[in-house]
Amino acid sequence: MNPSDIASVLEWWSVLFLLGLAVLPVTFRLFRLFFDKGYPFSKIIGAMIVTYIVFVVGTVRIAPFTLPTIVVAAVIVAIASYASFPGKSKLLDILKRHWLLFVLEEVLFLSILFIWAYVHSFAPDIHGLEKYMDFGYVNSLLRSTYFPPRDMWFTPYSINYYYFGHLTTAMLTKLSGIPSYITFNLMLSTVMSSCFVLTFSLGSNLYFNLVKDERISKLKLLLSGILSACLVTLGGNLHILYAFFSPYNTDNPAPLWKLAFKPMSFPNSYWYPDATRFIYHTIHEFPVYSWTVADLHGHVLDIPFVLLIIGFLFSLLLIQTDPEKEAKDIKKNLFLIQPFHLIFIGLLLSAMYMTNAWDGAIYWLLTAFTMLYIHGQKISFYKNPSGAEDAPLVIPDNKKQRKSFSLKGWKIAWARDFAITMLVITAGLLLFATPYNLFFNSAAYSHGIGVVCAPDFLIKIGKIGPFIFEADHCIRSYWWELLMLYGFFYFFAIIFAIFLIRAKRHTVTDVFVSLMIILSTMLILIPEFFYLKDIYPTYYRANTMFKLVFQAFIMLALCSGYVIVRMGTLLAAARLKQKLLLFCFFGFSAVLVGLVMLYPFLAINAYYGDFKNYQSLNGINYLKTLYPDDYVAINWINQNIKGQPVILEAQGDSYTDYARISANTGLPTVLGWTVHEWLWRGSYDVPAPRIADVETMYNTSDLQIAKQLFKTYHVQYIYVGTLEYQKYPKLNEQKFNELGHIVFEQRNTRIYKLNS
């Protein structure tokens, strides 16, 4: 890497490190039974809390979105965090006992950050796929004084999308002082590095809390963490087997047994995106594909939050089932779980909802599963039968004593306390998300729930409540397609289920892993029966499958790593026959792991050109070659135009180079990518009229018509460049001279400012 990029990475890391340092006491309290005290999660907690505070004060207009506001918020968080920790000596003791481990995890995070930033430097372009959308959001947020931010592609409205993750990116950009065309790639590297280190911590702690032995093998602890990190962060699926067979028609995938086996020709023209588009007209991505194609989407930005809630729910499960926890520490009824924990879950779920709404719903369910188990275990803490208010708690210590308690009362108390807990969490979610929901039009996304393969009599009815019954919407996945995508995971899930059935006892870790497997299975099956209706007629279940199975992949990959480790703990104590079975299991597991780990080598090398053309982390340098005049103009705009005045530029379809000025500057334009606005606004009729209006503003020679349209859309600047002349061959530039004056000119590219 060049010195400038190295400096940017170090500066970016230092900001993340300080944010993590600010909330260390909070992290230690939340993850007190983790052997590493949850240290890697501190950066995510710090960034989330500071971003949320800035978001709230900016929404209610108490303080603008500026560097001083962010710094003050971070300082307040740090003061509150350290002031709330019970005892300075205890905090220092944790730091003294674990400092080496913290250093090792920090070095791991920084190393992965550098490695992935280096990878990005071979293809840093913020160009292609939906990068313009993501970059435009970040730039619009950076120009925002207060919230909600303005939609750069639909003036004068605000963004109607899940943007909290983009706001976190913008916050870190302001705090670091690094330009957004570099932090875009740094944030992608950060999410990837966070994913690796957080799953390393999770995998290690799953093993640590499985064994709970002072003589625990540090090597096994390290291997369990690395295995989990590699499977979640870098693992592919068994679709890689097609690289050993003759190519198939991607529009009509064939099962392996219908193709010729050609192992000597590996990888047989294998194209890595096919692993995410294998099932007809659907999308089923996974993390390493997202790292590779480098879109800064909500589902990517939410991954650290996802791993944070998985980690915290596991930590909470450990805390609530800790055998050393005394009865006096257990609060009655609702307060079986401390209010601080419930508030944190509510905040985290709201952040996930505002980043990627599907994840908020998915992990609300995982939270519910976890709370159901916790209350099922802890409801045995009853008051003394005397009923006195100050009577001590009685803990039944065996099954006979438990039977003496009222089974009916137990069930009622269990249901009551679980319901109250989930109501408090849900209320917290809604409360924390209120500043966002005040300006968010959810109706644009709510078109109903479609039913796959609905019977004819329901199709004739059309709709019942939220359920929609559509004709010609009957495509389900073949069993062999699901096997290619998820067979790797369910090999381990089935082995694990057999083990649990035959085992005499199970651990809390086993329970939590089982909950994740159950939820993941639900997420994979739901798109086979239901889909959330959107604007796409033929890809009607694509988005539903995409958002659900992406999370299923993360949880199942984490669970698979645990199952391998779990079986490893049985090997030493197994009999000869059992050892032979276990060795067969590990041999087959090694083959499976080797196969799924082939994917990143093929995908990353393909996207990044086999690492033959090092560039830099600058994401807009491509403009120097593709649109050199636009490159100069964009830099001029970013240096000279403050705030968010409306700039007129050519309108174009999604996934094209149109709307490049608004995307690269954050200045709002009249209309950007039309299909995206159609999706965000709920109807094509909303953005459609603007297509003709933009064309009229460029082509008309009637000054009055032009002036009226400029006034309607609050246009202050007009951009005329290569794409404008391509889109509008009849472009009349003379009127711009009459209604305004040139403020920028570079060869055939000009920016006009209209006279006020």
Side-chain angles (χ1 to χ4, degrees):
M1 296 178 71
N2 62 46
S4 176
D5 285 345
I6 292 173
S8 293
V9 173
L10 288 174
E11 188 174 351
W12 181 261
W13 165 79
S14 66
V15 167
L16 291 168
F17 175 76
L18 290 173
L19 287 172
L21 194 63
V23 296
L24 269 186
V26 172
T27 305
F28 291 163
R29 288 180 64 187
L30 294 173
F31 295 90
R32 68 178 182 84
L33 291 185
F34 273 32
F35 78 92
D36 60 356
K37 305 302 176 186
Y39 176 80
F41 294 91
S42 61
K43 295 181 181 64
I44 311 306
I45 296 172
M48 178 186 71
I49 294 175
V50 171
T51 301
Y52 185 79
I53 291 173
V54 170
F55 171 60
V56 171
V57 299
T59 301
V60 298
R61 297 179 176 254
I62 293 175
F65 183 40
T66 59
L67 179 59
T69 301
I70 297 170
V71 171
V72 169
V75 170
I76 292 173
V77 168
I79 292 172
S81 174
Y82 282 87
S84 66
F85 196 81
K88 294 181 180 178
S89 59
K90 189 176 180 180
L91 180 60
L92 291 173
D93 183 56
I94 293 174
L95 293 172
K96 287 178 181 178
R97 284 189 288 113
H98 299 284
W99 71 269
L100 182 58
L101 178 59
F102 297 161
V103 170
L104 290 174
E105 289 183 323
E106 196 64 58
V107 169
L108 179 61
F109 175 84
L110 183 58
S111 299
I112 302 297
L113 181 64
F114 261 114
I115 290 170
W116 204 247
Y118 178 69
V119 169
H120 273 298
S121 64
F122 286 86
D125 302 351
I126 308 173
H127 181 236
L129 298 177
E130 292 182 289
K131 293 180 180 62
Y132 271 5
M133 178 195 108
D134 296 315
F135 194 40
Y137 279 168
V138 173
N139 285 324
S140 180
L141 282 157
L142 287 170
R143 284 182 175 269
S144 298
T145 303
Y146 297 105
F147 304 120
R150 297 186 68 178
D151 188 340
M152 71 285 175
W153 288 343
F154 201 72
T155 183
Y157 296 93
S158 60
I159 292 175
N160 199 52
Y161 191 74
Y162 306 99
Y163 61 79
F164 188 80
H166 298 92
L167 177 58
T168 304
T169 307
M171 184 276 292
L172 293 171
T173 300
K174 281 185 179 286
L175 199 53
S176 66
I178 304 171
S180 62
Y181 53 77
I182 292 176
T183 63
F184 185 94
N185 287 315
L186 287 176
M187 191 62 179
L188 286 164
S189 303
T190 300
V191 175
M192 193 274 189
S193 180
S194 296
C195 183
F196 193 93
V197 178
L198 296 184
T199 47
F200 170 81
S201 176
L202 269 169
S204 299
N205 277 287
L206 288 172
Y207 174 72
F208 177 79
N209 286 282
L210 166 67
V211 179
K212 284 191 174 179
D213 191 331
E214 291 182 359
R215 296 168 296 176
I216 190 169
S217 168
K218 293 181 180 178
L219 178 60
K220 289 182 179 179
L221 199 66
L222 176 66
L223 289 176
S224 63
I226 293 293
L227 177 60
S228 297
C230 287
L231 288 178
V232 174
T233 312
L234 298 171
N237 52 38
L238 292 180
H239 180 269
I240 194 68
L241 288 170
Y242 280 86
F244 297 92
F245 289 78
S246 58
Y248 66 89
N249 180 0
T250 54
D251 291 330
N252 186 25
L256 286 175
W257 59 82
K258 292 186 177 181
L259 302 175
F261 184 51
K262 295 184 177 181
M264 302 308 294
S265 301
F266 177 87
N268 288 311
S269 303
Y270 183 82
W271 185 229
Y272 69 93
D274 293 342
T276 69
R277 306 295 193 276
F278 186 53
I279 299 174
Y280 183 70
H281 278 195
T282 65
I283 304 172
H284 35 78
E285 295 182 9
F286 40 87
V288 69
Y289 177 82
S290 298
W291 317 139
T292 301
V293 299
D295 273 4
L296 197 61
H297 260 23
H299 71 279
V300 173
L301 289 163
D302 204 39
I303 289 175
F305 296 147
V306 163
L307 295 171
L308 174 57
I309 197 164
I310 291 174
F312 177 61
L313 289 175
F314 179 53
S315 173
L316 193 60
L317 197 59
L318 294 174
I319 293 171
Q320 296 301 319
T321 56
D322 182 7
E324 298 179 1
K325 194 175 183 68
E326 298 180 4
K328 65 181 181 180
D329 294 329
I330 305 296
K331 308 296 183 183
K332 57 185 177 181
N333 300 330
L334 168 63
F335 300 112
L336 288 172
I337 300 169
Q338 295 181 20
F340 171 68
H341 293 153
L342 298 178
I343 292 170
F344 182 76
I345 293 173
L347 174 61
L348 180 51
L349 286 174
S350 72
M352 297 174 72
Y353 160 72
M354 294 185 291
T355 301
N356 191 36
W358 290 84
D359 297 349
I362 291 168
Y363 290 97
W364 183 94
L365 279 175
L366 183 61
T367 301
F369 288 174
T370 305
M371 296 303 165
L372 193 64
Y373 179 79
I374 287 174
H375 282 285
Q377 293 296 300
K378 290 298 184 182
I379 202 66
S380 57
F381 288 80
Y382 271 81
K383 279 187 176 181
N384 188 287
S386 67
E389 185 65 26
D390 58 349
L393 295 174
V394 176
I395 307 173
D397 56 6
N398 56 51
K399 291 184 178 179
K400 289 184 179 179
Q401 287 183 347
R402 288 177 188 272
K403 287 181 180 179
S404 68
F405 285 81
S406 167
L407 181 62
K408 182 179 180 181
W410 182 85
K411 288 182 177 179
I412 292 174
W414 184 9
R416 178 199 64 206
D417 292 351
F418 167 71
I420 293 174
T421 298
M422 290 310 300
L423 281 173
V424 171
I425 289 173
T426 305
L429 188 165
L430 296 174
L431 179 63
F432 285 119
T434 297
Y436 176 83
N437 285 328
L438 287 174
F439 304 96
F440 178 68
N441 179 17
S442 60
Y445 293 84
S446 303
H447 300 285
I449 301 171
V451 177
V452 178
C453 297
D456 290 340
F457 77 94
L458 288 176
I459 292 174
K460 292 179 181 178
I461 296 173
K463 187 175 182 180
I464 300 176
F467 293 98
I468 299 172
F469 312 103
E470 300 180 284
D472 302 320
H473 282 56
C474 190
I475 299 176
R476 287 200 173 111
S477 310
Y478 294 108
W479 67 267
W480 48 269
E481 292 175 322
L482 295 174
L483 182 65
M484 288 295 104
L485 300 182
Y486 311 112
F488 172 86
F489 303 123
Y490 282 96
F491 167 74
F492 297 107
I494 291 170
I495 294 293
F496 185 56
I498 294 171
F499 162 76
L500 288 182
I501 292 170
R502 300 188 62 180
K504 295 181 180 179
R505 59 185 296 274
H506 58 265
T507 67
V508 173
T509 313
D510 292 334
V511 171
F512 189 68
V513 168
S514 299
L515 294 178
M516 287 195 288
I517 291 173
I518 292 169
L519 178 57
S520 299
T521 304
M522 291 170 56
L523 299 180
I524 292 170
L525 291 177
I526 285 173
E528 302 302 320
F529 300 96
F530 303 99
Y531 58 90
L532 198 64
K533 176 69 175 175
D534 54 30
I535 67 172
Y536 304 109
T538 55
Y539 285 76
Y540 51 88
R541 66 184 187 128
N543 196 47
T544 301
M545 181 178 287
F546 170 29
K547 296 300 174 59
L548 296 184
V549 303
F550 191 87
Q551 298 308 319
F553 186 101
I554 291 174
M555 287 187 281
L556 288 173
L558 182 62
C559 293
S560 298
Y562 171 76
V563 173
I564 295 173
V565 173
R566 186 71 166 102
M567 296 300 105
T569 61
L570 302 176
L571 187 59
R575 299 173 184 174
L576 179 61
K577 185 177 179 180
Q578 291 174 326
K579 283 190 176 183
L580 290 175
L581 289 174
L582 286 169
F583 277 124
C584 290
F585 166 78
F586 286 119
F588 193 58
S589 298
V591 172
L592 290 177
V593 171
L595 282 171
V596 299
M597 292 307 297
L598 281 175
Y599 183 85
F601 292 100
L602 297 179
I604 294 170
N605 283 331
Y607 189 87
Y608 292 93
D610 294 320
F611 302 103
K612 294 178 180 178
N613 182 26
Y614 175 83
Q615 298 176 52
S616 72
L617 287 173
N618 189 321
I620 63 171
N621 269 345
Y622 75 95
L623 288 168
K624 291 181 181 179
T625 302
L626 193 60
Y627 303 111
D629 296 340
D630 288 346
Y631 175 79
V632 177
I634 286 167
N635 283 323
W636 182 88
I637 290 171
N638 286 329
Q639 292 169 12
N640 293 278
I641 299 180
K642 307 303 178 183
Q644 288 191 285
V646 178
I647 187 167
L648 179 68
E649 66 174 320
Q651 169 276 330
D653 294 329
S654 297
Y655 307 102
T656 67
D657 289 352
Y658 289 101
R660 81 280 190 202
I661 304 303
S662 47
N664 281 278
T665 65
L667 292 184
T669 193
V670 176
L671 181 63
W673 284 3
T674 309
V675 173
H676 277 67
E677 287 298 340
W678 173 11
L679 178 65
W680 301 333
R681 305 296 160 182
S683 171
Y684 182 73
D685 294 337
V686 177
R690 298 190 177 207
I691 298 174
D693 286 347
V694 173
E695 182 176 8
T696 299
M697 282 186 275
Y698 274 108
N699 287 347
T700 186
S701 56
D702 190 317
L703 295 183
Q704 292 304 314
I705 292 176
K707 286 176 67 175
Q708 183 57 48
L709 286 172
F710 293 153
K711 182 179 180 181
T712 299
Y713 294 111
H714 310 286
V715 175
Q716 296 183 46
Y717 291 89
I718 297 165
Y719 192 90
V720 178
T722 304
L723 293 186
E724 280 66 35
Y725 271 107
Q726 287 180 7
K727 182 78 174 184
Y728 311 113
K730 298 180 180 179
L731 191 152
N732 184 322
E733 198 171 342
Q734 178 58 38
K735 64 178 175 295
F736 302 145
N737 283 305
E738 297 180 32
L739 298 175
H741 58 281
I742 295 174
V743 292
F744 171 86
E745 186 169 14
Q746 172 78 9
R747 290 185 295 191
N748 293 323
T749 295
R750 285 167 290 280
I751 299 175
Y752 293 87
K753 183 175 183 180
L754 295 177
N755 299 326
S756 55

